[in-house]
Amino acid sequence: MQQTLRRLDGVANVKVELLNGKVTITPKPDGAFDPASVLKLTYDSGVSVTQVSVTASGHVTKDASGALTFVITPRISYPIVPEKFADKLQAAAAAGAVIRMRGIVYTRPPGKAKKSKESPPLKFEVQEVLEN
């Protein structure tokens, strides 16, 4: 699995911890890495992903309806799940500041069997707002 993940576009390094089932992927600085590609690749290889988390820096933007989006690169952005960090994120959106966050973009629903190769739309559930 480690070698397979390393072949994905934008991947600099892959670390697999078999004891806890954790895989850490370090993206290249070019910003070409897309976590949705991990879901598709693992599905195709028969491996089940239970969660994908991301730590990244980017900008928080707000659309006309007030919904927030975490823009990591021009090609990678996620709608933000509204929660306890809403005030801090609203301020970051208003200021246009770069913000570093850790969050979950995918969690497999409990008891869900594999049904489709298509990954669900990924959303950014903020776990922590980090200092830059």
Side-chain angles (χ1 to χ4, degrees):
M1 178 54 53
Q2 185 170 354
Q3 291 175 347
T4 303
L5 289 170
R6 214 176 257 148
R7 288 186 212 123
L8 286 172
D9 284 340
V11 172
N13 190 33
V14 177
K15 178 181 171 188
V16 176
E17 298 173 41
L18 293 176
L19 291 178
N20 65 11
K22 183 177 180 181
V23 176
T24 303
I25 298 172
T26 305
K28 291 179 182 174
D30 65 8
F33 176 70
D34 182 9
S37 62
V38 173
L39 293 174
K40 181 181 180 336
L41 181 70
T42 54
Y43 179 90
D44 291 347
S45 68
V47 175
S48 182
V49 174
T50 57
Q51 188 175 81
V52 176
S53 61
V54 172
T55 301
S57 294
H59 297 277
V60 176
T61 62
K62 184 167 36 172
D63 67 16
S65 70
L68 297 174
T69 301
F70 186 35
V71 181
I72 299 171
T73 71
R75 294 180 8 192
I76 300 173
S77 62
Y78 302 102
I80 295 175
V81 177
E83 58 0 77
K84 62 186 176 184
F85 294 101
D87 291 342
K88 196 177 264 193
L89 299 178
Q90 293 283 349
V98 173
I99 186 169
R100 184 166 173 78
M101 296 191 286
R102 181 178 60 80
I104 298 169
V105 294
Y106 171 79
T107 300
R108 185 180 69 198
K112 182 178 178 185
K114 285 180 154 188
K115 292 183 182 174
S116 170
K117 284 185 173 188
E118 298 300 316
S119 65
L122 302 181
K123 296 184 177 182
F124 196 86
E125 180 184 337
V126 181
Q127 300 296 300
E128 184 177 14
V129 177
L130 305 163
E131 298 297 321
N132 274 333

